[in-house]
Amino acid sequence: MKLLRYGPAGSERPGLLDARGDVRDLSGVVDDLAGEALSPDSLARLSAIDPASLSLVADPGRIGPCVGRVGKFICIGLNYADHAAETGATVPDEPILFMKATSAIVGPDDDVIQPRDSTKLDWEVELGVVIGSTARYVSEAEALDHVAGYCVINDVSERAFQLERGGTWDKGKGCDTFGPIGPWLVTKDEAGDVGDLSMWLEVNGRRFQDGSSRTMVFGPAVLVSYVSRFMSLQPGDIISTGTPPGVGMGQKPPVWLQPGDVIELGIQGLGRQRQRVVAQGG
């Protein structure tokens, strides 16, 4: 299944994308695509529904984040060998964890706001793993049993905040609008082999990232198992699994996003996003 949320920010409704690419309303079945609605039992009930029996949404308008009420937004740093190489970093022996503020989450086509004092605004196309059931000290063999599905994420980053202002990476990662997710939550049965998905990102029509999840150092099963040793994972939590090479910081000379730039990105079978960069107002 491809599940989505549509409507104005803060008032999104749950929906399902049918085989024709039309949106069907799920609000009579689940109140939101969040929490227990993402559990294996709930997803099994949704998959048993004939999409034609659901109301057709003729004009869904804005597509929102594909998961609601996210509890934790966990990110993995330097998780692609070729991306680590372009930044001059060593491939880590264990996954590097950092958190992205849930207030950063926006829809896949919402504007990205360049924050005040930002000078090095960057992009990162990433595969997102959405948790469907509580995972605590799970093995790699059982880790994917706790995954509801996958989505596209743009891990927008402010490199000066991240790397030049002291402390951890978090303050360069969690600004408002720095976490576009969606358009769809693609369930495991439809996502295919997530260890071999092409992924790309363009700025103003120029392709910068053209990679594959094949070069991921730690795959989704390893990451879910690993993270669950340090914190329990709850339904609706998201793990953003790292980016392939081609980020702005890795260009020679570096390329930074500016107001007016248009970012387009996508992952094979998981959909695509389009954002416009705007300056912080006020």
Side-chain angles (χ1 to χ4, degrees), residues 182-233:
W184 314 312
L185 166 60
V186 181
T187 52
K188 290 182 294 183
D189 58 311
E190 189 160 335
D193 179 5
V194 295
D196 189 16
L197 298 179
S198 61
M199 47 207 308
W200 58 273
L201 184 144
E202 298 176 351
V203 179
N204 301 328
R206 175 184 170 188
R207 183 155 296 198
F208 283 93
Q209 292 189 274
D210 195 359
S212 170
S213 59
R214 288 192 308 273
T215 63
M216 195 181 294
V217 179
F218 305 106
V222 174
L223 293 174
V224 171
S225 174
Y226 184 84
V227 174
S228 77
R229 302 177 202 172
F230 303 99
M231 63 193 82
S232 62
L233 294 168

Side-chain angles (χ1 to χ4, degrees), residues 35 38-40 43 129-150 185 188 220-221 223-225 228 232-239:
L38 302 174
S39 70
L43 293 181
V129 178
V130 179
I131 301 300
S133 60
T134 300
R136 185 182 292 110
Y137 297 109
V138 298
S139 68
E140 292 178 24
E142 63 183 346
L144 296 186
D145 295 339
H146 298 270
V147 171
Y150 303 92
L185 166 60
K188 290 182 294 183
L223 293 174
V224 171
S225 174
S228 77
S232 62
L233 294 168
Q234 310 297 329
D237 286 351
I238 296 173
I239 301 175

Side-chain angles (χ1 to χ4, degrees), residues 9-278:
S11 300
E12 292 92 347
R13 297 164 66 94
L16 180 150
L17 197 72
D18 68 18
R20 295 177 52 186
D22 293 325
V23 175
R24 299 283 177 165
D25 182 38
L26 278 174
S27 58
V29 184
V30 291
D31 69 334
D32 200 358
L33 295 175
E36 290 304 314
L38 302 174
S39 70
D41 287 347
S42 176
L43 293 181
R45 287 193 296 271
L46 295 181
S47 68
I49 297 172
D50 178 1
S53 69
L54 301 169
S55 298
L56 177 67
V57 182
D59 182 12
R62 170 184 175 269
I63 301 300
C66 59
V67 181
R69 304 195 298 272
V70 176
K72 292 190 287 296
F73 198 168
I74 303 157
C75 298
I76 311 299
L78 301 176
N79 194 35
Y80 281 67
D82 38 9
H83 170 57
E86 77 170 340
T87 64
T90 301
V91 174
D93 294 327
E94 295 190 30
I96 296 173
L97 306 185
F98 62 92
M99 306 292 280
K100 206 169 180 79
T102 56
S103 53
I105 293 173
V106 290
D109 301 325
D110 290 343
D111 289 343
V112 166
I113 299 172
Q114 183 177 33
R116 294 181 189 176
D117 304 319
S118 165
T119 58
K120 297 180 178 179
L121 190 63
D122 207 345
W123 59 81
E124 295 187 8
V125 59
E126 304 204 2
L127 170 69
V129 178
V130 179
I131 301 300
S133 60
T134 300
R136 185 182 292 110
Y137 297 109
V138 298
S139 68
E140 292 178 24
E142 63 183 346
L144 296 186
D145 295 339
H146 298 270
V147 171
Y150 303 92
C151 65
V152 180
I153 295 175
N154 187 0
D155 176 18
V156 182
S157 308
E158 213 305 328
R159 303 299 189 187
F161 293 1
Q162 176 189 357
L163 301 172
E164 301 171 14
R165 301 289 294 270
T168 65
W169 290 0
D170 300 57
K171 59 179 171 272
K173 295 286 191 170
C175 301
D176 291 353
T177 74
F178 275 23
I181 65 171
W184 314 312
L185 166 60
V186 181
T187 52
K188 290 182 294 183
D189 58 311
E190 189 160 335
D193 179 5
V194 295
D196 189 16
L197 298 179
S198 61
M199 47 207 308
W200 58 273
L201 184 144
E202 298 176 351
V203 179
N204 301 328
R206 175 184 170 188
R207 183 155 296 198
F208 283 93
Q209 292 189 274
D210 195 359
S212 170
S213 59
R214 288 192 308 273
T215 63
M216 195 181 294
V217 179
F218 305 106
V222 174
L223 293 174
V224 171
S225 174
Y226 184 84
V227 174
S228 77
R229 302 177 202 172
F230 303 99
M231 63 193 82
S232 62
L233 294 168
Q234 310 297 329
D237 286 351
I238 296 173
I239 301 175
S240 196
T241 59
T243 196
V247 299
M249 180 173 62
Q251 307 303 308
K252 302 186 186 306
V255 176
W256 307 118
L257 293 166
Q258 304 294 331
D261 287 346
V262 175
I263 315 164
E264 296 183 87
L265 59 147
I267 299 178
Q268 177 185 351
L270 304 185
R272 58 190 296 159
Q273 303 183 353
R274 184 181 190 275
Q275 297 110 28
R276 182 173 178 268
V277 180
V278 301

